[in-house]
Amino acid sequence: ATGDVIIECDSDDYFIENAFNIIEEEFNKNKDRKDIYAICFLKYDLQNKNIGKEFKNKETTMFDLYFKEGEDGEKSLVYFSNIRKKYKYKLENNERFGTEARLHHEMDLKYKIICCNKPIMVCEYQKDGYTKNIQKVFIENPRGYFEYFKEILQRDMKGVLLKKRLYTIKHYILFSVLSNTKIQINEIKNIYNKI
């Protein structure tokens, strides 16, 4: 990629009519920021409804957005190319899928995102797509998900919502079973997570 931004658009998504005008306007406002890796926009469904919630904070991280601020819907990210190209998706044990959240959480350690309460994409979930077949994806790619939840439990979980903490621990145990990987308690940070 040689442009200023990188946008990933899934096969079941499409850009709204004025998406690139919105992206350009927001990028120009923030292009000199050295502490930002992406601008995060809303994503709508076919009924023009927001998938998830509107943003409460102008600046945050993807980890905080989903684990502390309670977001549970999809968003559209426009990455700053100079930062995005420093990071790679992680695949484990020849698996063919890895959650992009691992990439985001790694970037979160050094940078933040800008939030914009405007949509740039519409999502039309396909019956053979990733979202509708998530259980199959989990079963076929357990090691990557195990590593993802392990990485979360190695973080400082202060401020993480209780339901997200329980979600993380439940899935860490689930993927340890599916991937036949022994849980190492000493890898888990914070006494509450260990309990």
Side-chain angles (χ1 to χ4, degrees), residues 128-130 132-142 145:
D128 60 344
Y130 155 71
K132 294 222 175 189
N133 295 281
I134 192 67
Q135 288 184 331
K136 183 173 181 249
V137 173
F138 284 167
I139 291 165
E140 291 176 353
N141 305 279
Y145 277 102

Side-chain angles (χ1 to χ4, degrees), residues 20 38 123 162 177 181:
F20 296 103
C123 180
L162 178 61
V177 173
T181 307

Side-chain angles (χ1 to χ4, degrees), residues 158-170:
K158 185 177 180 186
V160 171
L161 301 170
L162 178 61
K163 71 176 182 176
K164 290 291 187 176
R165 199 182 288 254
L166 294 173
Y167 164 85
T168 302
I169 294 167
K170 177 181 82 171

Side-chain angles (χ1 to χ4, degrees), residues 13-74:
D13 294 347
Y14 60 89
F15 291 101
I16 66 168
E17 192 172 327
N18 62 339
F20 296 103
N21 293 331
I22 294 168
I23 291 166
E24 184 179 27
E25 182 184 336
E26 292 303 317
F27 175 73
N28 285 334
K29 284 186 210 168
N30 297 288
K31 65 184 177 184
D32 296 324
R33 296 281 301 269
K34 304 290 185 225
D35 59 334
I36 300 298
Y37 71 84
I39 305 170
C40 192
F41 294 91
L42 304 179
K43 190 183 275 192
Y44 278 11
D45 64 18
L46 291 173
Q47 286 72 47
N48 280 327
K49 291 188 179 155
N50 182 21
I51 303 173
K53 303 172 185 170
E54 288 205 341
F55 301 111
K56 295 182 237 168
N57 299 314
K58 179 73 176 158
E59 294 182 19
T60 188
T61 64
M62 288 297 280
F63 180 83
D64 286 356
L65 182 65
Y66 283 89
F67 285 82
K68 296 181 181 179
E69 297 167 29
E71 179 57 65
D72 56 5
E74 283 198 53

Side-chain angles (χ1 to χ4, degrees), residues 32-182:
D32 296 324
R33 296 281 301 269
K34 304 290 185 225
D35 59 334
I36 300 298
Y37 71 84
I39 305 170
C40 192
F41 294 91
L42 304 179
K43 190 183 275 192
Y44 278 11
D45 64 18
L46 291 173
Q47 286 72 47
N48 280 327
K49 291 188 179 155
N50 182 21
I51 303 173
K53 303 172 185 170
E54 288 205 341
F55 301 111
K56 295 182 237 168
N57 299 314
K58 179 73 176 158
E59 294 182 19
T60 188
T61 64
M62 288 297 280
F63 180 83
D64 286 356
L65 182 65
Y66 283 89
F67 285 82
K68 296 181 181 179
E69 297 167 29
E71 179 57 65
D72 56 5
E74 283 198 53
K75 301 293 177 229
S76 300
L77 283 171
V78 175
Y79 301 97
F80 287 30
S81 298
N82 61 328
I83 296 173
R84 172 64 184 84
K85 289 194 281 187
K86 295 177 188 176
Y87 295 86
K88 293 184 173 14
Y89 286 114
K90 295 177 182 176
L91 294 173
E92 306 288 339
N93 292 17
N94 298 313
E95 292 179 353
R96 296 175 54 97
F97 181 86
T99 174
E100 66 271 17
R102 287 182 80 186
L103 176 86
H104 298 152
H105 293 177
E106 189 178 358
M107 289 192 279
D108 286 343
L109 298 174
K110 288 177 115 183
Y111 307 98
K112 296 183 284 188
I113 60 170
I114 295 282
C115 299
C116 179
N117 277 315
K118 296 177 184 172
I120 60 167
M121 282 186 204
V122 172
C123 180
E124 180 182 3
Y125 292 118
Q126 303 295 313
K127 63 182 176 194
D128 60 344
Y130 155 71
T131 304
K132 294 222 175 189
N133 295 281
I134 192 67
Q135 288 184 331
K136 183 173 181 249
V137 173
F138 284 167
I139 291 165
E140 291 176 353
N141 305 279
R143 184 66 197 208
Y145 277 102
F146 173 78
E147 293 298 326
Y148 166 61
F149 288 107
K150 181 172 89 172
E151 286 167 9
I152 293 173
L153 289 171
Q154 290 171 335
R155 297 176 70 117
D156 180 1
M157 298 286 273
K158 185 177 180 186
V160 171
L161 301 170
L162 178 61
K163 71 176 182 176
K164 290 291 187 176
R165 199 182 288 254
L166 294 173
Y167 164 85
T168 302
I169 294 167
K170 177 181 82 171
H171 282 82
Y172 178 61
I173 295 166
L174 168 68
F175 288 111
S176 77
V177 173
L178 289 176
S179 65
N180 200 22
T181 307
K182 191 170 192 256

